[in-house]
Amino acid sequence: MRQGVGVPKIPIAGPSITQKEIDYVADAVAHAWYGDAGMYHARFERAFADYLGVKHAVALPSCTSAIHLALLAMGVGPGDEVIVPEITWIATSAPITYVGATPVFADIDPRSWCLSATTFESCITPRTKAVIPVDLYGNMPDMDAIGEVARAKGISVLEDAAQAVGATYQGRKAGSLGDVGVFSFHGSKTLTTGEGGMLVSDNDAMVERVQILRDHGRVPGDKAFFNREIAFKYKMSSMQAALGLAQLERIDELIAKKREIFAWYQSEMADVDLVTLNDEAAGTRNVYWMVTVILADSLRITAEEMGRQLAERGIDTRPFFHPLSSLPAYRDHPQASEAALQNETAYSLSPRGLNLPSALNLAREDVRFVCESLKEILRDAGRTSI
Ligand SMILES: Cc1ncc(COP(=O)(O)O)c(C=O)c1O
């Protein structure tokens, strides 16, 4: 058994880096200066927009900054409400507070684990200005149904595709399904720049506004240092852009590996009752950023205990996201206690969910070892039919 000090852990997440990435970054270090300072940004942004089939892509230092600028460009501000799913990383909702608006926590769908049109609609008030559906763990919400509700009520849609580069919904790419889409290239993501993000949109005016807001209130190309307003400094470096371009040129391979890892889990877990893996609805392509298991209600072992026992075997896991309304960060939020009562699916799934190792360097035998360990723990707990 892979146990004890010095035994390498099976990692939860991590990238695939080849000589291509190293060459592109080295080239950026050597050449992307002076008049060529933006050459890798231009190539990365154009290639990313083309990959998604959208007009514009703007490289940024993080997805959090992309959400911040998207909200500002949508005109979200004090007095407005923005609906977010309960289950997501806090980066989806924190920027709503940055702009002085209020997040409203909606329940999730029990199969996709994403926002649904019904849970979204139930949270709409006259103050709702925007909604942020999240493509959770690489899966897709029912974006047509959500878009229909949003359109009928005049609500802007900001698609948080931080975890879902390359996922598709009815043949359309994740991030291209709202008014604005955002991505994360954090080191744990399928396509990484170490830290980084991208904002995409077909809306010329919105993107122009983002370009000004991300550069201290200067219009793109301004050499007069003539700031029109107080804004932000949200720029990606050329080394990151070079890394992102190299990764994007390998995107089909990266996604194929993620899907292969999921297929390994699926076959290893095929004989296990009482656990559920990520869903993939007809018409969608899940890119399985994080392979995730939900333990059945009837099991007496919690996901937290499962994670602890897997860690003893050198297997790294992460808890399913906690419902946002349950976090100390939202202790004083006016809707949090009501959300905690209403959002039953989020509160039921969260304590039973565990992200399993999903790193791009995993081998078949790593996944087999994780699944055998999982089964052993379930068997020892004496609570399954296996
Ligand atoms: C759903 C979601 N939204 C936003 C973010 C923020 O991304 P970043 O860390 O690049 O700011 C993340 C990061 O993991 C995320 O998972």
Side-chain angles (χ1 to χ4, degrees):
M1 189 191 289
R2 310 160 63 120
Q3 220 169 347
V5 180
V7 175
K9 269 193 164 190
I10 297 183
I12 183 77
S16 163
I17 301 296
T18 63
Q19 194 58 42
K20 180 195 263 289
E21 283 81 355
I22 295 166
D23 289 346
Y24 279 32
V25 174
D27 186 61
V29 174
H31 300 113
W33 306 106
Y34 302 105
D36 290 330
M39 69 182 188
Y40 275 104
H41 298 88
R43 288 175 65 190
F44 184 34
E45 288 172 344
R46 190 66 260 144
F48 200 85
D50 290 348
Y51 175 66
L52 253 65
V54 296
K55 268 170 93 175
H56 308 285
V58 184
L60 294 165
S62 65
C63 183
T64 306
S65 56
I67 295 171
H68 186 187
L69 296 186
L71 291 170
L72 290 170
M74 286 170 163
V76 177
D80 294 330
E81 291 176 353
V82 179
I83 296 171
V84 295
E86 275 276 17
I87 299 295
T88 181
W89 177 229
I90 196 169
T92 305
S93 64
I96 299 166
T97 306
Y98 304 169
V99 302
T102 305
V104 173
F105 310 116
D107 206 0
I108 55 165
D109 176 77
R111 285 181 70 102
S112 70
W113 309 333
C114 299
L115 186 73
S116 75
T118 317
T119 58
F120 159 41
E121 193 162 19
S122 72
C123 290
I124 294 173
T125 76
R127 292 168 62 194
T128 308
K129 180 90 174 188
V131 59
I132 313 184
V134 177
D135 305 334
L136 197 81
Y137 300 139
N139 199 9
M140 296 297 300
D142 186 351
M143 287 299 285
D144 279 347
I146 289 171
E148 212 171 289
V149 173
R151 255 188 317 279
K153 305 272 185 184
I155 294 168
S156 303
V157 179
L158 197 183
E159 184 187 356
D160 184 345
Q163 308 175 350
V165 64
T168 62
Y169 173 87
Q170 311 297 348
R172 289 172 285 157
K173 291 245 171 53
S176 71
L177 295 147
D179 299 296
V180 180
V182 291
F183 292 86
S184 171
F185 306 134
H186 174 259
S188 64
K189 299 301 188 294
T190 305
L191 185 167
T192 190
T193 59
E195 293 282 0
M198 193 75 87
L199 180 151
V200 300
S201 182
D202 285 329
N203 186 316
D204 300 338
M206 209 115 77
V207 170
E208 199 176 308
R209 184 81 192 114
V210 165
Q211 298 280 17
I212 293 169
L213 286 170
R214 61 98 163 246
D215 191 17
H216 283 308
R218 292 199 294 175
V219 291
D222 166 38
K223 295 251 168 51
F225 294 83
F226 194 69
N227 310 83
R228 289 153 193 257
E229 60 186 297
I230 303 295
F232 305 92
K233 172 64 191 292
Y234 284 159
K235 295 280 206 78
M236 178 182 267
S237 77
S238 45
M239 282 76 86
Q240 290 169 300
L243 178 51
L245 179 66
Q247 292 260 281
L248 185 61
E249 289 178 0
R250 296 180 50 230
I251 191 67
D252 291 343
E253 175 197 340
L254 300 178
I255 290 168
K257 179 69 194 279
K258 282 289 197 185
R259 287 183 61 84
E260 183 177 42
I261 291 169
F262 182 78
W264 291 339
Y265 275 104
Q266 223 173 8
S267 85
E268 292 292 334
M269 300 297 282
D271 58 343
V272 184
D273 288 343
L274 304 174
V275 299
T276 310
L277 293 171
N278 315 52
D279 188 53
E280 184 178 58
T284 68
R285 175 169 79 157
N286 191 330
V287 286
Y288 305 112
W289 172 59
M290 282 278 163
V291 177
T292 300
V293 69
I294 304 282
L295 306 177
D297 235 347
S298 54
L299 288 166
R300 271 177 281 162
I301 186 163
T302 61
E304 190 181 357
E305 175 59 17
M306 173 69 76
R308 201 188 56 70
Q309 293 197 31
L310 289 171
E312 281 173 5
R313 292 161 165 83
I315 298 166
D316 207 6
T317 62
R318 291 175 22 156
F320 202 74
F321 289 117
H322 303 282
L324 291 173
S325 64
S326 72
L327 296 173
Y330 289 113
R331 198 185 301 112
D332 301 324
H333 185 281
Q335 187 236 358
S337 47
E338 186 191 324
L341 291 175
Q342 278 173 2
N343 296 337
E344 287 176 6
T345 306
Y347 275 79
S348 161
L349 292 183
S350 174
R352 297 188 282 120
L354 194 67
N355 300 141
L356 300 176
S358 305
L360 282 160
N361 69 353
L362 289 188
R364 184 81 170 86
E365 60 266 27
D366 295 322
V367 171
R368 188 171 301 125
F369 177 69
V370 173
C371 293
E372 274 165 11
S373 302
L374 232 154
K375 292 182 204 180
E376 193 179 282
I377 296 165
L378 290 172
R379 216 180 293 119
D380 286 352
R383 288 147 181 91
T384 74
S385 62
I386 58 168

